[in-house]
Amino acid sequence: MKLHEYQAKELFSRYGLPIPEGWLAKTPEKAMEHVGRRGFPIAIKAQVHAGGRGKSGGILLASNMEDAYKAVYSIHGMRLRTPQTVGEGPTVNKLLLEKGVDIDREFYLSIVPDSSTGSLLIIASAEGGMDIEEVAATHPEKILQVQVDPVMGLQEYQKRRVAYALGLTGELFASFATLLAGLYQAVLENDLLLAEINPLALTVDGDFFLIDAKAKVDSNALFRQRKIAAQYDSSEEDPLELEAQRHGLNYIRLHGNIGTIVNGAGLAMASMDIIQQAGAEPANFLDVGGGANEDMIEHGFQILLSDPHVKAILINIFGGILRCDILATGVVNAARKTGLQLPVVVRMEGTNAEQGRKILAESGLDLITATDLNDAATKIQELCLT
Amino acid sequence: MKLHEYQAKELFSRYGLPIPEGWLAKTPEKAMEHVGRRGFPIAIKAQVHAGGRGKSGGILLASNMEDAYKAVYSIHGMRLRTPQTVGEGPTVNKLLLEKGVDIDREFYLSIVPDSSTGSLLIIASAEGGMDIEEVAATHPEKILQVQVDPVMGLQEYQKRRVAYALGLTGELFASFATLLAGLYQAVLENDLLLAEINPLALTVDGDFFLIDAKAKVDSNALFRQRKIAAQYDSSEEDPLELEAQRHGLNYIRLHGNIGTIVNGAGLAMASMDIIQQAGAEPANFLDVGGGANEDMIEHGFQILLSDPHVKAILINIFGGILRCDILATGVVNAARKTGLQLPVVVRMEGTNAEQGRKILAESGLDLITATDLNDAATKIQELCLT
Amino acid sequence: MSIFVNQDTRLLVQGITGKEGQFHTLQCLEYGTRVVAGVTPGKAGQEVAGISVFHTVHDAVQETGANASMIFVPPPFAADAILEAADAGVDLIICITEGIPIHDMLRVRRALQGSSSRLIGPNCPGIITPGVCKIGIMPAHIHRPGSIGVISRSGTLTYELVDQLTKAGLGQSTCIGIGGDPVNGTGFIDCLAAFAKDEQTTGIVMLGEIGGTAEEAAAVFIQEKVDKPVVGFIAGLTAPPGRQMGHAGAIISGSRGSATAKIAALEKSGVHVYQELGQLGAFCAKTFAT
Amino acid sequence: MSIFVNQDTRLLVQGITGKEGQFHTLQCLEYGTRVVAGVTPGKAGQEVAGISVFHTVHDAVQETGANASMIFVPPPFAADAILEAADAGVDLIICITEGIPIHDMLRVRRALQGSSSRLIGPNCPGIITPGVCKIGIMPAHIHRPGSIGVISRSGTLTYELVDQLTKAGLGQSTCIGIGGDPVNGTGFIDCLAAFAKDEQTTGIVMLGEIGGTAEEAAAVFIQEKVDKPVVGFIAGLTAPPGRQMGHAGAIISGSRGSATAKIAALEKSGVHVYQELGQLGAFCAKTFAT
């Protein structure tokens, strides 16, 4: 779960990290009120989940009232399309206004749990700013990676390593070390999958400020991160994906017309591959997971049926922890409630598959049964041709 | 550094551990005031560093005013001699008065950093009370030892292991788990070498109370435990040992008459062995340590000279990190300041030994030089015979 | 022979009194697995299908000599359950639980370094040596004893493959689901090394998927250390690129982790990569026959 | 040959700019040790006796290829210095510092499990292979190259012994002070194992003292694994019993840890125990001659 910039900054500031004075506004009028009261220079920043906002007009700096007015009204309500967004991009309906600071140097600093090294990885560079990915690609030696043992935690020598690599000594070392320790603590205590500050600015007065900040929280940890879970902003999400989330389903909407219901991410991806190999396009990725119950199956089915693009459905289940009888009951209930009109190819194997097939057969519903994966692919192909 | 019972309880209570209501009194009059105000039953407990106080009359329970009066006046001012004290035992000048609780069961619980397993060792037994050492000797299976990884910290499953082994389930499990976690945290954050609760009482109402509590702090960690260092009660210490401590010297007073100044604990112990093998008795153990400076040597020398039992001194230095020239200068200064009258055998080898010998030779002092350890032993023997 | 499990495996089940725990304990028992104990804190003295339940893993191990554990404990408590099993000296720990926070698993993986316990999973279907021992949630009937070793990151994809293998006349020596989480215990390389040494195993099938770089590392290992034929499949060739994790992810992984990169790495190491899932079993039969 | 250090040892000194650090760096240099770098945070760019000082151990290792470190950092920062050296991949870490809190050392020892770095100390005089490499604070001139391996918990007691050995005509292969703290790195057993395998070493002297049970464990190891003659000495036979640490200490250690118990354990394992320190060198000469 991604946090907005203003949420991430609020979170980090609770760990003593220095953020510029800022004010959130939900309307252009409120934004202009803040501008009028706070003076210049002031930054106007779109609060949407879109990397690369700066280059795409989502962040503007104003040094007088006229510029500020233009900036506020151009950003608020815009659809922000950046290299990292999908489709037309999200609509901006929240602005963060921030007092400008007098920047001397810009650093890059992030912490991520890194599975390949089994560490909490600190990534830092003296070449902060918008083009850090390019620095990583062209000058990897300018990027320091420090692996923190997740059990030992951040050590003093690691703070020194990062600070000295960034050229920070003396008093700057001390304030940077405190900042880094705070960021590390924030990552740990909030189950962050990403904490990124770019740029971390050093002002001409020798003060650090988080100019931009990103944070992403482990969705698997929301059971113990209630406060963060409550900050979830669903306004940018696809309504069907939201509906799926509510029922614990892993659903991603795509652009094709063959809906899929599969258990297991690997088999779901492979099923999409099969649909494409059959000459059609998958309408979605939908992994009902291992612990699915009747309700979840039923809701997954309903979500597919409410996508107008879906012309046919492939159900591909290989039962392990998810028993086929449970799946079958869910499908039957959903088909009855929705008055199913679409062709549905069902392929079912594994735990309690016999019982599952029996439930489907006795339901009186008009379902197309596939004997194996090859057969299912053939039947999908036939549906596409008709 | 040992804490008194009332200090240990105050420390543990900051971690949420439940202690009985109690009041400290430095005079019998104050103690009786508390008794008058608080009612019965009340426990009167000597606050001295002496294990086994209970059996030796240092803890009495009173259920009426007359008993309380007798108890307070018998304990206050007494010298408490127990199997674990040396000599006549310390004088009691502080009393802890504690409200009695209605005990159902008594447990033993302690945590120590254990070098042999490299863990923080939890020791627990359902057979709490005064005779835990006997339980350990005769029924080791009644004592549970759980090794906590010092880096991972106390895990939930370890709380369960201890609690279930003590027969604590349901609500008792929950409150015990909290107590154990608090005790562990206290050990970590205060650099404790020992945290011991014996007995840990469970009342008939299902509440836990720390009836007796011991804590010992790592002296090497006092640099970061300033608050605890300030609680140091030196009233029970030997004045010469205190003086040595003030100068960073590791000094223990013994009963013989040959004083020793040695660098390194191993060589110091071996030097004591040599004195005994030569037919004399060492007056002390004095390790001036590796980082000794002139001042420390001088003070060590002065401490030996102020012990009236000391009839001769053996200085045995093998210089490594402690350079012999530094030692020699310290000895010369101290001898001059004190107007040295006693015979001193000096044996000096190692780093800068030549310079050291030269300083001694040129000092004009009347020192007995030994060429090696055998020679030193012989010269000590000669002194003893004369 | 087989790897990691055999007829001497004595299984305990952590979370045995839960719904899934009970169901799959029964399934394992029916298959012939020697289930000797269950653990659910606070429920010592109960029984599940005749199996005694203990408060702690230490008690269970001491009383029953269990040397393997299957974990069905819910995500908030699963990391602790793994640590408990390792501390009690259980040799093989199979964690079925899905959805354990990544910070928990980083700590668990670090704690298990240097331990004598092997962790499989979490978020995995388990391990089975057909005809001998099943520990996990895989449907038993699709397996047949034989000489093919199977390693997979994905549960149901494994069932699909195994079903096809069996139907194609290829039995399995051992099938291992290593789990789909980014931080897990036993990886491709550990399994490849064990299969390479296992006399019963004559061929290996490896099912990978997009994300991470475990398949790339496995490819290097295969080239250097595995003499037996290996068939590979990577799921997610047509999946849209994953949602961006900010810059940090890109800085660490660069262009690695895509299906194309993984397929290229495996092919370069001599792995027989085949991407038609419907005919994968038939392809294996052909490949391992030569 | 020798153990742990040799002519390829490239030393860096952590805390090189302090008074003791400077003094002993000079002594090591004079002895011929290849001191290649120093580390003091905040002092990169300075020099000590011509040796470059770096901010961090990582920088020092990268620039100079140092593979050993000698630590003179004060107690509050010493644990961190050890961890830094290990993280930078330094093979051999010798920590001279005395007075490190025990909780710090418990964490360090746990962190180093499974690491490729060997820690000697803390609170130790260091290690010397006479004529080749000296890392530590021992007075150099008392040593002679030879074939006796020396292991000791006590610094100055070691000097005493080595001085006597040299005067008795016995040179040393390597002398190691493992340090007197309850929690340390390399122990008696590690050193015994290395000396047992070292061709140059023909006899071993082991100096123990009261407290702990390291000598008892070493005795068991000697009986099982060491074929070379071993002479033993235990300091503290006449020391008064240590101050009581409450019940917990007694529960853990029981009656172990006394000088008498240690001497008995060593003698039972065939170690030649001799308690007259003044004649210990002569005793070694006699024992190792047979």
Side-chain angles (χ1 to χ4, degrees):
Chain A
M1 176 194 145
K2 282 181 192 168
L3 297 187
H4 284 300
E5 177 190 3
Y6 75 92
Q7 295 170 325
K9 283 182 170 170
E10 193 275 323
L11 175 70
F12 292 153
S13 74
R14 276 190 271 132
Y15 291 86
L17 273 66
I19 60 175
E21 264 192 281
W23 308 271
L24 188 73
K26 296 192 178 172
T27 64
E29 294 74 26
K30 274 278 169 202
M32 287 312 297
E33 266 180 43
H34 283 302
V35 172
R37 248 180 297 170
R38 315 297 174 169
F40 302 98
I42 197 161
I44 294 106
K45 311 170 88 174
Q47 296 300 288
V48 288
H49 299 306
R53 284 173 306 164
K55 281 189 178 167
S56 307
I59 300 176
L60 294 170
L61 198 68
S63 50
N64 58 52
M65 201 50 95
E66 198 185 327
D67 287 356
Y69 189 88
K70 278 191 209 157
V72 163
Y73 279 87
S74 80
I75 298 177
H76 194 275
M78 83 187 284
R79 296 206 66 161
L80 192 63
R81 192 169 190 165
T82 81
Q84 292 180 38
T85 54
V86 216
E88 294 181 71
T91 303
V92 179
N93 50 37
K94 285 197 281 287
L95 296 178
L96 177 63
L97 301 144
E98 267 185 0
K99 205 166 167 178
V101 295
D102 206 353
I103 297 175
D104 180 28
R105 286 190 268 166
E106 294 191 332
F107 305 98
Y108 173 89
L109 180 65
S110 66
I111 304 180
V112 288
D114 178 45
S115 56
S116 66
T117 56
S119 69
L120 289 160
L121 194 62
I122 299 173
I123 306 171
S125 175
E127 312 270 323
M130 287 195 284
D131 292 320
I132 188 69
E133 282 186 69
E134 203 188 307
V135 176
T138 57
H139 293 284
E141 79 284 355
K142 290 189 176 169
I143 295 194
L144 175 73
Q145 301 193 12
V146 171
Q147 297 172 21
V148 180
D149 182 319
V151 171
M152 286 293 288
L154 180 65
Q155 302 297 311
E156 291 301 317
Y157 75 86
Q158 294 174 315
K159 298 179 195 166
R160 295 196 297 269
R161 253 195 101 189
V162 178
Y164 290 132
L166 299 182
L168 301 169
T169 52
E171 279 180 35
L172 290 180
F173 164 74
S175 53
F176 176 80
T178 306
L179 186 158
L180 180 59
L183 188 65
Y184 184 85
Q185 205 56 26
V187 169
L188 270 202
E189 292 184 4
N190 298 281
D191 278 295
L192 299 191
L193 296 181
L194 168 74
E196 185 177 61
I197 306 172
N198 188 27
L200 170 65
L202 180 60
T203 66
V204 289
D205 299 331
D207 295 319
F208 287 103
F209 282 106
L210 280 58
I211 300 300
D212 193 7
K214 281 193 177 59
K216 198 179 169 191
V217 185
D218 186 351
S219 305
N220 282 340
L222 291 179
F223 68 82
R224 63 187 176 202
Q225 302 295 350
R226 302 283 165 96
K227 266 173 91 176
I228 292 180
Q231 293 182 7
Y232 179 53
D233 175 5
S234 61
S235 65
E236 293 177 33
E237 307 289 340
D238 180 294
L240 286 187
E241 293 190 14
L242 272 179
E243 175 72 9
Q245 254 176 45
R246 257 193 289 280
H247 300 291
L249 300 166
N250 188 5
Y251 169 85
I252 298 172
R253 194 174 187 171
L254 302 169
H255 303 292
N257 52 19
I258 309 292
T260 62
I261 299 183
V262 192
N263 66 327
L267 191 58
M269 285 192 287
S271 301
M272 286 159 52
D273 295 355
I274 284 170
I275 289 171
Q276 221 165 34
Q277 285 161 0
E281 286 291 328
N284 66 283
F285 167 96
L286 174 52
D287 169 15
V288 294
N293 54 31
E294 278 179 47
D295 252 23
M296 285 165 73
I297 298 293
E298 197 181 314
H299 287 295
F301 207 76
Q302 283 175 338
I303 285 163
L304 290 206
L305 291 178
S306 45
D307 177 352
H309 298 102
V310 171
K311 301 295 173 216
I313 292 174
L314 167 63
I315 300 181
N316 185 16
I317 297 290
F318 216 117
I321 204 167
L322 168 58
R323 286 137 53 181
C324 294
D325 53 337
I326 288 178
L327 168 87
T329 310
V331 169
V332 168
N333 289 346
R336 287 206 178 115
K337 280 189 195 163
T338 54
L340 173 71
Q341 301 290 335
L342 300 178
V344 177
V345 177
V346 185
R347 187 279 184 137
M348 209 182 256
E349 272 295 345
T351 309
N352 293 6
E354 285 305 321
Q355 293 99 305
R357 291 198 201 104
K358 202 170 155 214
I359 289 166
L360 292 179
E362 290 173 356
S363 70
L365 292 169
D366 185 22
L367 302 165
I368 306 166
T369 306
T371 54
D372 61 20
L373 206 51
N374 250 350
D375 188 37
T378 312
K379 279 172 176 155
I380 286 291
Q381 208 157 12
E382 282 164 11
L383 286 175
C384 296
L385 297 176
T386 54
Chain B
M1 176 193 146
K2 282 181 192 168
L3 298 186
H4 284 300
E5 177 190 4
Y6 74 93
Q7 295 169 324
K9 284 182 171 170
E10 193 275 322
L11 175 70
F12 294 153
S13 73
R14 278 191 269 131
Y15 292 85
L17 273 67
I19 60 175
E21 265 192 282
W23 309 270
L24 189 73
K26 296 192 179 172
T27 63
E29 293 73 27
K30 276 277 168 202
M32 287 312 296
E33 267 180 42
H34 284 300
V35 171
R37 250 179 297 169
R38 315 297 175 170
F40 302 96
I42 196 161
I44 294 106
K45 309 170 90 176
Q47 296 299 288
V48 288
H49 299 306
R53 283 172 305 164
K55 283 188 178 167
S56 307
I59 299 177
L60 294 170
L61 198 67
S63 48
N64 57 52
M65 199 52 92
E66 196 185 328
D67 286 357
Y69 188 88
K70 277 190 209 158
V72 163
Y73 279 89
S74 81
I75 297 177
H76 195 277
M78 82 187 284
R79 296 205 67 161
L80 192 64
R81 193 169 191 165
T82 81
Q84 293 181 38
T85 54
V86 216
E88 295 181 70
T91 303
V92 179
N93 50 38
K94 284 197 282 284
L95 296 178
L96 177 63
L97 301 146
E98 267 184 0
K99 205 166 166 179
V101 296
D102 205 351
I103 298 175
D104 179 27
R105 288 145 77 187
E106 294 192 332
F107 304 98
Y108 174 89
L109 180 65
S110 67
I111 304 180
V112 289
D114 178 44
S115 56
S116 66
T117 56
S119 69
L120 289 160
L121 194 63
I122 299 173
I123 306 170
S125 175
E127 312 270 323
M130 288 194 285
D131 292 321
I132 188 69
E133 283 186 69
E134 203 188 307
V135 176
T138 56
H139 293 285
E141 78 284 355
K142 290 189 176 169
I143 294 193
L144 175 73
Q145 300 194 12
V146 171
Q147 297 172 21
V148 180
D149 182 320
V151 171
M152 286 295 287
L154 181 64
Q155 302 297 311
E156 291 302 317
Y157 75 84
Q158 294 174 316
K159 298 179 196 166
R160 295 196 297 268
R161 252 195 102 188
V162 178
Y164 290 132
L166 298 182
L168 301 169
T169 51
E171 279 179 36
L172 290 180
F173 164 74
S175 54
F176 177 80
T178 307
L179 187 158
L180 180 59
L183 188 64
Y184 184 84
Q185 205 56 26
V187 169
L188 270 202
E189 292 184 5
N190 298 282
D191 278 296
L192 299 191
L193 296 181
L194 169 74
E196 185 176 61
I197 306 172
N198 188 27
L200 170 66
L202 180 60
T203 67
V204 288
D205 299 330
D207 296 318
F208 287 103
F209 282 105
L210 280 59
I211 299 301
D212 193 7
K214 281 195 177 57
K216 197 179 169 190
V217 184
D218 186 351
S219 304
N220 283 339
L222 291 180
F223 67 84
R224 62 187 177 201
Q225 302 293 352
R226 303 283 164 96
K227 266 172 92 173
I228 292 179
Q231 294 182 7
Y232 180 53
D233 174 5
S234 61
S235 66
E236 292 177 32
E237 308 289 340
D238 180 294
L240 286 186
E241 292 190 14
L242 270 180
E243 175 71 10
Q245 256 176 43
R246 259 192 289 278
H247 300 290
L249 299 166
N250 188 5
Y251 169 85
I252 298 171
R253 196 174 186 171
L254 302 169
H255 303 292
N257 52 20
I258 309 291
T260 63
I261 300 183
V262 192
N263 65 328
L267 192 58
M269 285 191 287
S271 301
M272 285 159 51
D273 294 356
I274 286 170
I275 289 170
Q276 221 165 35
Q277 283 161 0
E281 286 290 327
N284 65 285
F285 167 95
L286 173 53
D287 170 15
V288 294
N293 54 30
E294 280 178 46
D295 252 21
M296 285 164 74
I297 298 293
E298 197 181 314
H299 287 294
F301 207 77
Q302 282 176 338
I303 285 163
L304 291 206
L305 291 177
S306 45
D307 177 353
H309 298 103
V310 171
K311 300 296 172 215
I313 293 175
L314 167 63
I315 301 181
N316 185 16
I317 298 290
F318 215 117
I321 204 167
L322 168 58
R323 287 137 51 182
C324 294
D325 52 337
I326 288 178
L327 168 86
T329 310
V331 169
V332 168
N333 288 346
R336 286 207 180 114
K337 280 188 195 163
T338 54
L340 173 71
Q341 300 291 338
L342 299 178
V344 177
V345 177
V346 185
R347 187 281 183 132
M348 208 182 256
E349 272 297 343
T351 310
N352 294 6
E354 286 305 322
Q355 291 99 304
R357 290 198 202 105
K358 202 171 153 213
I359 290 166
L360 292 178
E362 288 172 358
S363 71
L365 293 169
D366 183 23
L367 303 164
I368 306 165
T369 307
T371 54
D372 61 20
L373 207 50
N374 252 349
D375 188 36
T378 311
K379 279 172 175 153
I380 286 291
Q381 207 157 15
E382 282 165 11
L383 285 175
C384 294
L385 297 176
T386 55
Chain C
M1 278 294 292
S2 54
I3 72 169
F4 306 153
V5 292
N6 55 42
Q7 58 281 0
D8 298 326
T9 300
R10 296 172 64 83
L11 185 67
L12 70 86
V13 182
Q14 289 175 260
I16 194 172
T17 55
K19 196 175 141 203
E20 298 296 337
Q22 286 193 38
F23 177 80
H24 289 289
T25 298
L26 276 172
Q27 300 270 316
C28 291
L29 273 173
E30 270 175 32
Y31 197 71
T33 306
R34 294 167 71 186
V35 185
V36 297
V39 171
T40 299
K43 301 203 173 171
Q46 298 190 6
E47 284 195 354
V48 169
I51 311 291
S52 296
V53 178
F54 297 87
H55 281 321
T56 70
V57 178
H58 290 77
D59 290 346
V61 167
Q62 199 180 331
E63 295 297 319
T64 68
N67 56 15
S69 176
M70 175 165 70
I71 297 179
F72 283 99
V73 170
F77 316 109
D80 186 61
I82 298 171
L83 293 174
E84 180 177 8
D87 190 30
V90 171
D91 298 326
L92 184 68
I93 303 165
I94 291 105
C95 184
I96 309 298
T97 309
E98 183 183 346
I100 304 179
I102 194 168
H103 284 275
D104 287 6
M105 278 311 301
L106 281 179
R107 289 174 59 83
V108 166
R109 189 158 77 174
R110 178 66 181 87
L112 258 53
Q113 273 173 23
S115 146
S116 61
S117 298
R118 169 182 297 286
L119 171 66
I120 295 181
N123 188 15
C124 81
I127 180 169
I128 182 170
T129 287
V132 177
C133 181
K134 164 187 147 134
I135 304 180
I137 59 173
M138 65 290 283
H141 69 276
I142 58 173
H143 299 81
R144 290 290 174 279
S147 64
I148 305 303
V150 175
I151 322 166
S152 173
R153 277 172 71 182
S154 160
T156 47
L157 193 55
T158 321
Y159 312 159
E160 181 63 50
L161 166 75
V162 168
D163 191 43
Q164 291 186 29
L165 286 177
T166 295
K167 285 172 179 161
L170 295 178
Q172 304 89 43
S173 53
T174 300
C175 304
I176 307 163
I178 61 173
D181 281 3
V183 181
N184 58 5
T186 298
F188 280 123
I189 291 176
D190 308 279
C191 299
L192 286 165
F195 278 132
K197 272 193 285 184
D198 176 42
E199 284 175 24
Q200 183 183 335
T201 303
T202 58
I204 303 165
V205 188
M206 190 183 132
L207 302 179
E209 60 185 49
I210 51 171
T213 59
E215 289 84 359
E216 286 86 335
V220 174
F221 182 83
I222 290 168
Q223 186 154 38
E224 292 171 1
K225 304 272 175 71
V226 181
D227 288 333
K228 299 177 182 179
V230 180
V231 168
F233 173 88
I234 302 292
L237 198 55
T238 62
R243 293 163 190 209
Q244 185 73 353
M245 264 187 58
H247 299 296
I251 291 172
I252 303 167
S253 61
S255 65
R256 296 170 299 168
S258 73
T260 328
K262 287 173 193 297
I263 290 171
L266 289 171
E267 286 185 332
K268 196 174 147 234
S269 300
V271 173
H272 307 271
V273 179
Y274 187 78
Q275 291 294 113
E276 303 270 334
L277 184 57
Q279 285 85 41
L280 189 53
F283 177 80
C284 289
K286 209 180 64 188
T287 306
F288 293 136
T290 58
Chain D
M1 279 293 292
S2 53
I3 73 168
F4 306 151
V5 292
N6 56 43
Q7 58 280 359
D8 298 325
T9 300
R10 298 172 63 82
L11 186 66
L12 72 85
V13 182
Q14 290 175 258
I16 195 172
T17 55
K19 196 174 140 205
E20 298 297 337
Q22 286 192 38
F23 176 80
H24 289 290
T25 298
L26 276 171
Q27 300 270 317
C28 290
L29 272 172
E30 270 174 32
Y31 196 71
T33 306
R34 295 167 71 187
V35 185
V36 297
V39 171
T40 299
K43 301 203 173 169
Q46 296 190 9
E47 285 196 351
V48 170
I51 310 292
S52 296
V53 178
F54 297 87
H55 281 321
T56 69
V57 178
H58 290 77
D59 290 346
V61 167
Q62 198 179 331
E63 296 296 320
T64 68
N67 56 15
S69 176
M70 174 165 70
I71 298 179
F72 283 99
V73 170
F77 316 109
D80 186 61
I82 297 171
L83 293 175
E84 180 176 9
D87 190 29
V90 171
D91 297 327
L92 185 67
I93 303 165
I94 291 105
C95 184
I96 309 298
T97 308
E98 183 183 347
I100 304 179
I102 195 168
H103 285 276
D104 287 6
M105 279 311 302
L106 281 179
R107 290 174 58 82
V108 166
R109 189 158 79 174
R110 178 65 181 87
L112 259 54
Q113 272 173 24
S115 147
S116 60
S117 298
R118 170 181 296 285
L119 171 66
I120 295 180
N123 188 15
C124 82
I127 180 170
I128 182 169
T129 287
V132 177
C133 180
K134 165 187 145 132
I135 304 179
I137 58 174
M138 65 290 285
H141 70 274
I142 57 173
H143 298 82
R144 291 290 174 278
S147 63
I148 305 302
V150 176
I151 322 166
S152 173
R153 276 173 71 181
S154 160
T156 46
L157 193 54
T158 321
Y159 313 159
E160 182 63 49
L161 166 74
V162 168
D163 191 43
Q164 290 187 31
L165 286 177
T166 295
K167 285 172 180 161
L170 296 177
Q172 305 88 43
S173 53
T174 300
C175 305
I176 307 163
I178 61 173
D181 281 3
V183 181
N184 59 3
T186 298
F188 279 123
I189 292 176
D190 308 280
C191 299
L192 286 164
F195 278 132
K197 273 193 285 186
D198 177 43
E199 285 175 24
Q200 183 183 334
T201 303
T202 57
I204 304 165
V205 188
M206 191 182 133
L207 301 179
E209 60 185 50
I210 50 170
T213 58
E215 291 82 359
E216 286 85 335
V220 174
F221 182 83
I222 290 169
Q223 186 154 37
E224 292 172 0
K225 303 272 176 71
V226 181
D227 288 333
K228 300 177 181 179
V230 180
V231 168
F233 174 88
I234 302 291
L237 198 54
T238 62
R243 293 166 190 208
Q244 185 73 352
M245 265 186 59
H247 299 297
I251 292 172
I252 303 166
S253 61
S255 65
R256 296 170 297 169
S258 74
T260 327
K262 288 174 193 297
I263 290 171
L266 289 171
E267 287 185 331
K268 196 173 149 234
S269 301
V271 173
H272 307 270
V273 179
Y274 188 76
Q275 290 294 113
E276 302 271 334
L277 184 57
Q279 286 86 42
L280 188 54
F283 177 80
C284 288
K286 208 180 64 187
T287 306
F288 294 135
T290 57

